Amino acid sequence: MTKLLETIQSPLDLRDLNRHQLKTLADELREFLLHSVASTGGHLSSNLGTVELSIAIHHVYQTPYDRLVWDVGHQSYPHKILTGRREAMSGLRQLDGISGFPRRSESDYDAFGTAHSSTSISAALGMALGSKQKGEHRGPNRRRHIAVIGDGAMSAGMAYEAMNNAGIHKDIDLLVILNDNEMSISPPVGAMSNYLARLLTGRFYSAARELGKQVLGVVPPVLEIARRLEGGAKSLISPSTLFEEFGFNYFGPIDGHDLDALIPALENLRELKGPQFLHVITRKGRGYERAEEDPIAYHGPGKFNPAEGLKSAGASKPSYSQVFGQWLCDAAAADERLVAVTPAMREGSGMVEFSQRFPDRYHDVAIAEQHAVTFSAGLACEGLRPVVAIYSTFLQRGYDQLIHDVALQNLPVLFAVDRAGLVGADGATHAGAYDYSFLRCIPNMVVMAPKDEQECRAMLSTGLHLDCPSAVRYPRGPGMGVDAGRSLETLPVGEAEVLVRAAKAVSGQPRVAFLAFGSMVGPCLQAAGQFNATVVNMRFIKPLDTQCLFELAQDHDLLVTVEENVIMGGAGSACAEALARALGPQTPLLQLGLPDRFIDHGEHAKLLAMAGLDAPGIARSTAERLAQLQQACGDKSKLGAASLTLVS
């Protein structure tokens, strides 16, 4: 690390630097960023592209008094470094370390917590109108509001809903900066992406960029800018009136890596009232050749040596996403009705091969989860079998459509719900902690969770052939190391699988039944060795195998449900409800799952252990509940099926 960057403890220090020093700082910041992320893992390409933009914003605006909102959030590392968190970067995305996304509780400079895309304009508009209501929109110290949106986030409808609302408010201080880096996590798609691409082609972009520098430069004052724009120069800068039709004044495109263009532009825009829109062009991976050439590979790498770049991993267990991708291709080859849909997560969901082999049956609808679900419902109406590959945390964004457009009409849409459960370094914003709860309450839904890779394929095949909506929910990363095979065989719907049976009742040795859902089968098998235990792979959250459940309740002293989902409303709750209806409220049942709080980022295994969902934690909780049952009975010899009537 070089001396200049070490002197920056807050944006106040930035504002004392001249233009030459700011350029030096940009070089140092980019170098620090590269080596910092390489040592911890995290988002790299997008952050290398926002170095100059971060410097320029904090140099010109009086943050944190002026509110700054970073869309998506994984482009905010330079912002974190410049706002007093440079040393904390060594703990990025680690347990008890700083988050990989903006977070209000972490810093006053993080005006709004972001991690899902396309929320920045809505949040910044709310702040701007809040400032107006408090009278902070007038005078020389009026509060400004900046939303930086990019990384494909302009493909989501929420951004346009916010712009449509913002355009009617002419007396607010709101600047939307489109950080146009020509890349989202997956290659950008859709008409808006094509429109932005056309802006940047050929002689037009070169001419517009130079004119943008002139119009937004230091020499012409604000009134002169307005005069020249009214005179027609604006039509040269922006051949489309799209953003202006929303009520924004559009400026750009300008080079987002050129501080000599960025700083004067922001200084002039800072003085304008009303909704403003600045279009800047940046390059993902800027300054690190490997990331510039392959920004997707360097989007969120693990630890690596910058001098060597990413190394291909050796042989390892395939991830559930890879298992899904292989099944998708196999199932498509066998069934011409299958079509695949993704909201801009082709790589993450394991769909690259499918998109290449079956391009006419592959639909990337961009970052538009609501549209993805209803679009799939439309496909199903025409007799096709849509498979929606979506992360659990993003399915939440299409919940109304799931209920109203798919389930209410009982359409055969299969949801491949990836990243279910805890997700490690990405933390609470990306955890799939709620899908058991929000899926099982919907009529017509079939909800499944596999114990291993082979069962994942079988469940996907099962869902594909159902004449109703269904979901297969699987975790991030590798499974248990079971060969998934290439079978397309299905499972009997609603039937659990008994993996281990407890010995017959022996005096003083209570019988325990572990009802394990999905990813928790493995830990339960390990924990069961300490007890006289039955272990059941429940497989179906809905419909629940109530026959198996009732049989276990009749001849076991304790039932333990274990799930990587919040306890409230989850799979264990489904068991409790079924038992209460059939056997009354006094059946001994221990429900283990995620607690009623947001779980921070950290190593996945450690987070599970902290939640008591590793094998030792499951065993410990089970032993404690058995001790409570024995104490309630007063005599260990009486702890048997009769205890069903003694402990609630």
Side-chain angles (χ1 to χ4, degrees), residues 157-158 161 343 367-375 390 394 397-402 405:
M158 187 174 176
E161 293 173 20
I367 303 175
E369 293 86 359
Q370 293 172 302
H371 166 61
V373 177
T374 302
F375 169 69
I390 190 167
F394 298 143
R397 308 185 84 180
Y399 192 55
D400 176 69
Q401 290 70 26
L402 173 60
D405 299 333

PDB file of all heavy atoms in Angstrom, residues 157-158 161 343 367-375 390 394 397-402 405:
ATOM      1  N   GLY A 157     -37.822  -4.058 -13.669  1.00  0.00           N
ATOM      2  CA  GLY A 157     -38.929  -3.121 -13.704  1.00  0.00           C
ATOM      3  C   GLY A 157     -38.963  -2.149 -12.545  1.00  0.00           C
ATOM      4  O   GLY A 157     -39.450  -1.027 -12.687  1.00  0.00           O
ATOM      5  N   MET A 158     -38.443  -2.542 -11.383  1.00  0.00           N
ATOM      6  CA  MET A 158     -38.504  -1.665 -10.220  1.00  0.00           C
ATOM      7  C   MET A 158     -37.775  -0.349 -10.475  1.00  0.00           C
ATOM      8  O   MET A 158     -38.185   0.710  -9.975  1.00  0.00           O
ATOM      9  CB  MET A 158     -37.910  -2.372  -9.001  1.00  0.00           C
ATOM     10  CG  MET A 158     -38.073  -1.601  -7.708  1.00  0.00           C
ATOM     11  SD  MET A 158     -37.519  -2.574  -6.287  1.00  0.00           S
ATOM     12  CE  MET A 158     -37.718  -1.369  -4.978  1.00  0.00           C
ATOM     13  N   GLU A 161     -40.213   1.802 -12.364  1.00  0.00           N
ATOM     14  CA  GLU A 161     -41.287   2.244 -11.484  1.00  0.00           C
ATOM     15  C   GLU A 161     -40.819   3.456 -10.672  1.00  0.00           C
ATOM     16  O   GLU A 161     -41.560   4.430 -10.495  1.00  0.00           O
ATOM     17  CB  GLU A 161     -41.708   1.114 -10.550  1.00  0.00           C
ATOM     18  CG  GLU A 161     -42.362  -0.070 -11.246  1.00  0.00           C
ATOM     19  CD  GLU A 161     -42.614  -1.236 -10.300  1.00  0.00           C
ATOM     20  OE1 GLU A 161     -42.635  -1.014  -9.081  1.00  0.00           O
ATOM     21  OE2 GLU A 161     -42.780  -2.369 -10.786  1.00  0.00           O
ATOM     22  N   PRO A 343     -33.716 -15.594 -14.509  1.00  0.00           N
ATOM     23  CA  PRO A 343     -33.622 -14.141 -14.390  1.00  0.00           C
ATOM     24  C   PRO A 343     -32.154 -13.702 -14.260  1.00  0.00           C
ATOM     25  O   PRO A 343     -31.686 -13.318 -13.189  1.00  0.00           O
ATOM     26  CB  PRO A 343     -34.431 -13.837 -13.131  1.00  0.00           C
ATOM     27  CG  PRO A 343     -34.278 -15.065 -12.299  1.00  0.00           C
ATOM     28  CD  PRO A 343     -34.100 -16.226 -13.242  1.00  0.00           C
ATOM     29  N   ILE A 367     -32.792  -9.281 -15.173  1.00  0.00           N
ATOM     30  CA  ILE A 367     -33.062  -9.223 -13.732  1.00  0.00           C
ATOM     31  C   ILE A 367     -34.515  -8.812 -13.549  1.00  0.00           C
ATOM     32  O   ILE A 367     -34.835  -7.646 -13.309  1.00  0.00           O
ATOM     33  CB  ILE A 367     -32.104  -8.249 -13.035  1.00  0.00           C
ATOM     34  CG1 ILE A 367     -30.657  -8.656 -13.294  1.00  0.00           C
ATOM     35  CG2 ILE A 367     -32.372  -8.249 -11.519  1.00  0.00           C
ATOM     36  CD1 ILE A 367     -29.638  -7.688 -12.737  1.00  0.00           C
ATOM     37  N   ALA A 368     -35.404  -9.775 -13.708  1.00  0.00           N
ATOM     38  CA  ALA A 368     -36.837  -9.496 -13.700  1.00  0.00           C
ATOM     39  C   ALA A 368     -37.569 -10.727 -13.171  1.00  0.00           C
ATOM     40  O   ALA A 368     -38.221 -11.444 -13.928  1.00  0.00           O
ATOM     41  CB  ALA A 368     -37.306  -9.135 -15.103  1.00  0.00           C
ATOM     42  N   GLU A 369     -37.441 -10.946 -11.880  1.00  0.00           N
ATOM     43  CA  GLU A 369     -37.983 -12.171 -11.295  1.00  0.00           C
ATOM     44  C   GLU A 369     -39.502 -12.257 -11.407  1.00  0.00           C
ATOM     45  O   GLU A 369     -40.067 -13.337 -11.646  1.00  0.00           O
ATOM     46  CB  GLU A 369     -37.560 -12.275  -9.827  1.00  0.00           C
ATOM     47  CG  GLU A 369     -36.073 -12.474  -9.605  1.00  0.00           C
ATOM     48  CD  GLU A 369     -35.288 -11.183  -9.559  1.00  0.00           C
ATOM     49  OE1 GLU A 369     -35.911 -10.104  -9.719  1.00  0.00           O
ATOM     50  OE2 GLU A 369     -34.061 -11.231  -9.363  1.00  0.00           O
ATOM     51  N   GLN A 370     -40.187 -11.144 -11.214  1.00  0.00           N
ATOM     52  CA  GLN A 370     -41.647 -11.150 -11.343  1.00  0.00           C
ATOM     53  C   GLN A 370     -42.048 -11.576 -12.751  1.00  0.00           C
ATOM     54  O   GLN A 370     -42.923 -12.423 -12.941  1.00  0.00           O
ATOM     55  CB  GLN A 370     -42.200  -9.764 -11.026  1.00  0.00           C
ATOM     56  CG  GLN A 370     -42.034  -9.347  -9.576  1.00  0.00           C
ATOM     57  CD  GLN A 370     -42.423  -7.897  -9.369  1.00  0.00           C
ATOM     58  OE1 GLN A 370     -41.870  -6.990  -9.996  1.00  0.00           O
ATOM     59  NE2 GLN A 370     -43.372  -7.665  -8.492  1.00  0.00           N
ATOM     60  N   HIS A 371     -41.408 -10.960 -13.726  1.00  0.00           N
ATOM     61  CA  HIS A 371     -41.692 -11.305 -15.123  1.00  0.00           C
ATOM     62  C   HIS A 371     -41.345 -12.757 -15.411  1.00  0.00           C
ATOM     63  O   HIS A 371     -42.092 -13.456 -16.112  1.00  0.00           O
ATOM     64  CB  HIS A 371     -40.905 -10.376 -16.051  1.00  0.00           C
ATOM     65  CG  HIS A 371     -40.848 -10.833 -17.463  1.00  0.00           C
ATOM     66  ND1 HIS A 371     -41.970 -10.998 -18.242  1.00  0.00           N
ATOM     67  CD2 HIS A 371     -39.794 -11.190 -18.250  1.00  0.00           C
ATOM     68  CE1 HIS A 371     -41.611 -11.423 -19.449  1.00  0.00           C
ATOM     69  NE2 HIS A 371     -40.303 -11.555 -19.466  1.00  0.00           N
ATOM     70  N   ALA A 372     -40.230 -13.237 -14.859  1.00  0.00           N
ATOM     71  CA  ALA A 372     -39.802 -14.615 -15.118  1.00  0.00           C
ATOM     72  C   ALA A 372     -40.889 -15.607 -14.713  1.00  0.00           C
ATOM     73  O   ALA A 372     -41.163 -16.580 -15.425  1.00  0.00           O
ATOM     74  CB  ALA A 372     -38.503 -14.923 -14.366  1.00  0.00           C
ATOM     75  N   VAL A 373     -41.530 -15.366 -13.568  1.00  0.00           N
ATOM     76  CA  VAL A 373     -42.540 -16.298 -13.073  1.00  0.00           C
ATOM     77  C   VAL A 373     -43.801 -16.249 -13.933  1.00  0.00           C
ATOM     78  O   VAL A 373     -44.327 -17.285 -14.353  1.00  0.00           O
ATOM     79  CB  VAL A 373     -42.866 -16.002 -11.591  1.00  0.00           C
ATOM     80  CG1 VAL A 373     -43.981 -16.917 -11.094  1.00  0.00           C
ATOM     81  CG2 VAL A 373     -41.613 -16.183 -10.726  1.00  0.00           C
ATOM     82  N   THR A 374     -44.309 -15.054 -14.217  1.00  0.00           N
ATOM     83  CA  THR A 374     -45.533 -14.950 -15.018  1.00  0.00           C
ATOM     84  C   THR A 374     -45.288 -15.355 -16.463  1.00  0.00           C
ATOM     85  O   THR A 374     -46.144 -15.974 -17.111  1.00  0.00           O
ATOM     86  CB  THR A 374     -46.100 -13.526 -14.937  1.00  0.00           C
ATOM     87  OG1 THR A 374     -46.353 -13.193 -13.564  1.00  0.00           O
ATOM     88  CG2 THR A 374     -47.396 -13.399 -15.720  1.00  0.00           C
ATOM     89  N   PHE A 375     -44.133 -15.028 -16.992  1.00  0.00           N
ATOM     90  CA  PHE A 375     -43.737 -15.480 -18.330  1.00  0.00           C
ATOM     91  C   PHE A 375     -43.770 -17.004 -18.404  1.00  0.00           C
ATOM     92  O   PHE A 375     -44.279 -17.590 -19.376  1.00  0.00           O
ATOM     93  CB  PHE A 375     -42.337 -14.945 -18.635  1.00  0.00           C
ATOM     94  CG  PHE A 375     -41.669 -15.528 -19.845  1.00  0.00           C
ATOM     95  CD1 PHE A 375     -42.129 -15.261 -21.116  1.00  0.00           C
ATOM     96  CD2 PHE A 375     -40.555 -16.351 -19.697  1.00  0.00           C
ATOM     97  CE1 PHE A 375     -41.494 -15.797 -22.237  1.00  0.00           C
ATOM     98  CE2 PHE A 375     -39.915 -16.893 -20.803  1.00  0.00           C
ATOM     99  CZ  PHE A 375     -40.396 -16.615 -22.079  1.00  0.00           C
ATOM    100  N   ILE A 390     -33.845 -20.446 -10.299  1.00  0.00           N
ATOM    101  CA  ILE A 390     -33.843 -19.186  -9.553  1.00  0.00           C
ATOM    102  C   ILE A 390     -33.293 -19.429  -8.154  1.00  0.00           C
ATOM    103  O   ILE A 390     -33.513 -20.480  -7.560  1.00  0.00           O
ATOM    104  CB  ILE A 390     -35.283 -18.614  -9.500  1.00  0.00           C
ATOM    105  CG1 ILE A 390     -35.312 -17.196  -8.946  1.00  0.00           C
ATOM    106  CG2 ILE A 390     -36.213 -19.547  -8.720  1.00  0.00           C
ATOM    107  CD1 ILE A 390     -36.649 -16.499  -9.175  1.00  0.00           C
ATOM    108  N   PHE A 394     -34.008 -14.803  -4.497  1.00  0.00           N
ATOM    109  CA  PHE A 394     -34.612 -14.030  -5.580  1.00  0.00           C
ATOM    110  C   PHE A 394     -36.045 -14.476  -5.881  1.00  0.00           C
ATOM    111  O   PHE A 394     -36.832 -13.693  -6.413  1.00  0.00           O
ATOM    112  CB  PHE A 394     -33.754 -14.123  -6.842  1.00  0.00           C
ATOM    113  CG  PHE A 394     -32.368 -13.561  -6.672  1.00  0.00           C
ATOM    114  CD1 PHE A 394     -31.276 -14.151  -7.284  1.00  0.00           C
ATOM    115  CD2 PHE A 394     -32.149 -12.448  -5.877  1.00  0.00           C
ATOM    116  CE1 PHE A 394     -30.000 -13.639  -7.119  1.00  0.00           C
ATOM    117  CE2 PHE A 394     -30.874 -11.928  -5.702  1.00  0.00           C
ATOM    118  CZ  PHE A 394     -29.792 -12.518  -6.325  1.00  0.00           C
ATOM    119  N   ARG A 397     -38.819 -12.310  -4.677  1.00  0.00           N
ATOM    120  CA  ARG A 397     -39.224 -11.122  -5.430  1.00  0.00           C
ATOM    121  C   ARG A 397     -40.363 -11.420  -6.404  1.00  0.00           C
ATOM    122  O   ARG A 397     -40.972 -10.497  -6.941  1.00  0.00           O
ATOM    123  CB  ARG A 397     -38.019 -10.561  -6.188  1.00  0.00           C
ATOM    124  CG  ARG A 397     -36.803 -10.337  -5.317  1.00  0.00           C
ATOM    125  CD  ARG A 397     -35.687  -9.664  -6.066  1.00  0.00           C
ATOM    126  NE  ARG A 397     -35.866  -8.221  -6.089  1.00  0.00           N
ATOM    127  CZ  ARG A 397     -35.026  -7.378  -6.690  1.00  0.00           C
ATOM    128  NH1 ARG A 397     -33.983  -7.836  -7.346  1.00  0.00           N
ATOM    129  NH2 ARG A 397     -35.248  -6.081  -6.668  1.00  0.00           N
ATOM    130  N   GLY A 398     -40.633 -12.692  -6.648  1.00  0.00           N
ATOM    131  CA  GLY A 398     -41.719 -13.049  -7.543  1.00  0.00           C
ATOM    132  C   GLY A 398     -42.835 -13.782  -6.832  1.00  0.00           C
ATOM    133  O   GLY A 398     -43.552 -14.582  -7.448  1.00  0.00           O
ATOM    134  N   TYR A 399     -43.013 -13.496  -5.543  1.00  0.00           N
ATOM    135  CA  TYR A 399     -43.933 -14.291  -4.730  1.00  0.00           C
ATOM    136  C   TYR A 399     -45.396 -14.097  -5.132  1.00  0.00           C
ATOM    137  O   TYR A 399     -46.162 -15.055  -5.213  1.00  0.00           O
ATOM    138  CB  TYR A 399     -43.737 -13.955  -3.255  1.00  0.00           C
ATOM    139  CG  TYR A 399     -44.433 -14.906  -2.307  1.00  0.00           C
ATOM    140  CD1 TYR A 399     -44.198 -16.282  -2.384  1.00  0.00           C
ATOM    141  CD2 TYR A 399     -45.311 -14.455  -1.346  1.00  0.00           C
ATOM    142  CE1 TYR A 399     -44.822 -17.162  -1.514  1.00  0.00           C
ATOM    143  CE2 TYR A 399     -45.936 -15.327  -0.467  1.00  0.00           C
ATOM    144  CZ  TYR A 399     -45.688 -16.682  -0.556  1.00  0.00           C
ATOM    145  OH  TYR A 399     -46.301 -17.566   0.299  1.00  0.00           O
ATOM    146  N   ASP A 400     -45.794 -12.880  -5.387  1.00  0.00           N
ATOM    147  CA  ASP A 400     -47.183 -12.652  -5.798  1.00  0.00           C
ATOM    148  C   ASP A 400     -47.481 -13.393  -7.098  1.00  0.00           C
ATOM    149  O   ASP A 400     -48.550 -14.009  -7.246  1.00  0.00           O
ATOM    150  CB  ASP A 400     -47.445 -11.159  -5.992  1.00  0.00           C
ATOM    151  CG  ASP A 400     -48.847 -10.893  -6.520  1.00  0.00           C
ATOM    152  OD1 ASP A 400     -49.811 -11.118  -5.770  1.00  0.00           O
ATOM    153  OD2 ASP A 400     -48.978 -10.480  -7.692  1.00  0.00           O
ATOM    154  N   GLN A 401     -46.542 -13.357  -8.023  1.00  0.00           N
ATOM    155  CA  GLN A 401     -46.739 -14.037  -9.299  1.00  0.00           C
ATOM    156  C   GLN A 401     -46.790 -15.549  -9.115  1.00  0.00           C
ATOM    157  O   GLN A 401     -47.551 -16.239  -9.795  1.00  0.00           O
ATOM    158  CB  GLN A 401     -45.612 -13.655 -10.267  1.00  0.00           C
ATOM    159  CG  GLN A 401     -45.654 -12.221 -10.760  1.00  0.00           C
ATOM    160  CD  GLN A 401     -45.314 -11.207  -9.686  1.00  0.00           C
ATOM    161  OE1 GLN A 401     -44.605 -11.507  -8.719  1.00  0.00           O
ATOM    162  NE2 GLN A 401     -45.812  -9.997  -9.830  1.00  0.00           N
ATOM    163  N   LEU A 402     -45.987 -16.059  -8.180  1.00  0.00           N
ATOM    164  CA  LEU A 402     -46.008 -17.483  -7.885  1.00  0.00           C
ATOM    165  C   LEU A 402     -47.395 -17.914  -7.395  1.00  0.00           C
ATOM    166  O   LEU A 402     -47.928 -18.946  -7.823  1.00  0.00           O
ATOM    167  CB  LEU A 402     -44.942 -17.802  -6.831  1.00  0.00           C
ATOM    168  CG  LEU A 402     -44.898 -19.218  -6.265  1.00  0.00           C
ATOM    169  CD1 LEU A 402     -44.647 -20.246  -7.357  1.00  0.00           C
ATOM    170  CD2 LEU A 402     -43.827 -19.326  -5.186  1.00  0.00           C
ATOM    171  N   ASP A 405     -50.346 -16.173 -10.425  1.00  0.00           N
ATOM    172  CA  ASP A 405     -50.257 -16.514 -11.846  1.00  0.00           C
ATOM    173  C   ASP A 405     -49.924 -17.979 -12.101  1.00  0.00           C
ATOM    174  O   ASP A 405     -50.247 -18.508 -13.165  1.00  0.00           O
ATOM    175  CB  ASP A 405     -49.211 -15.627 -12.529  1.00  0.00           C
ATOM    176  CG  ASP A 405     -49.568 -14.151 -12.438  1.00  0.00           C
ATOM    177  OD1 ASP A 405     -50.772 -13.850 -12.331  1.00  0.00           O
ATOM    178  OD2 ASP A 405     -48.661 -13.307 -12.451  1.00  0.00           O
TER     179      ASP A 405
END
